[in-house]
Amino acid sequence: MTLLNKPVREAARRSVLCWLATVDADGQPNVSPKEVWAISDDQHVVVANIASPISVRNIAQKPQVCLSFVDVFVQKGFKLVGSAHEVQVENPAFSAWAAPLLAMVGQRFVIRSVLVIRVTSVAPIVAPSYRFYPDKTTEASQVASAIRAYKVHPAPQEKP
């Protein structure tokens, strides 16, 4: 079974940020927003190390991580758990792992290294309204609520 299946990939595509949770050698947690990240294949997520010294240090000490992302309009997403390692620029594998990230950033950021996460479990994240008010809560109602709360307007839909 593919952990990073189509629904996970679609939700990731709609999410602007992800949150990477790591822990240091003393068990102190760290959660850090990551703007440049991508699902690389059926088992791996790659995260650009642009300004992440604490995440990098923690992963070197304890590779267990949790990465989560949520579509803020639909208020659904996924929690991915796995182990990570850093691939530095000098590593011959860097180009392959960094390719989707470099395509995203162009000249905007310098990617210092890539954090490669091998995902071992995936769990859905849903807003409590879906559970407590299942007869009244739909994705459309959540989007409408978010549009009101964030005072934004939806973009025109692309034609297939």
Side-chain angles (χ1 to χ4, degrees), residues 47-143:
V47 177
N49 170 17
I50 295 168
S52 303
I54 296 171
S55 296
V56 168
R57 181 196 68 209
N58 287 354
I59 287 169
Q61 295 171 350
K62 292 192 176 215
Q64 295 79 18
V65 299
C66 177
L67 182 139
S68 62
F69 54 89
V70 174
D71 176 329
V72 295
F73 291 99
V74 176
Q75 299 180 29
K76 289 182 178 179
F78 289 92
K79 176 177 89 168
L80 313 177
V81 174
S83 61
H85 69 278
E86 179 186 23
V87 177
Q88 297 180 348
V89 175
E90 306 80 28
N91 187 316
F94 177 84
S95 294
W97 287 118
L101 306 174
L102 291 167
M104 295 166 93
V105 301
Q107 301 298 312
R108 186 171 178 206
F109 296 113
V110 173
I111 297 177
R112 301 180 189 289
S113 63
V114 175
L115 305 175
V116 178
I117 302 166
R118 184 177 185 283
V119 177
T120 55
S121 71
V122 174
I125 298 173
V126 296
S129 295
Y130 287 104
R131 292 192 175 121
F132 290 112
Y133 304 102
D135 296 336
K136 297 179 182 179
T137 305
T138 64
E139 288 188 1
S141 71
Q142 293 295 86
V143 169

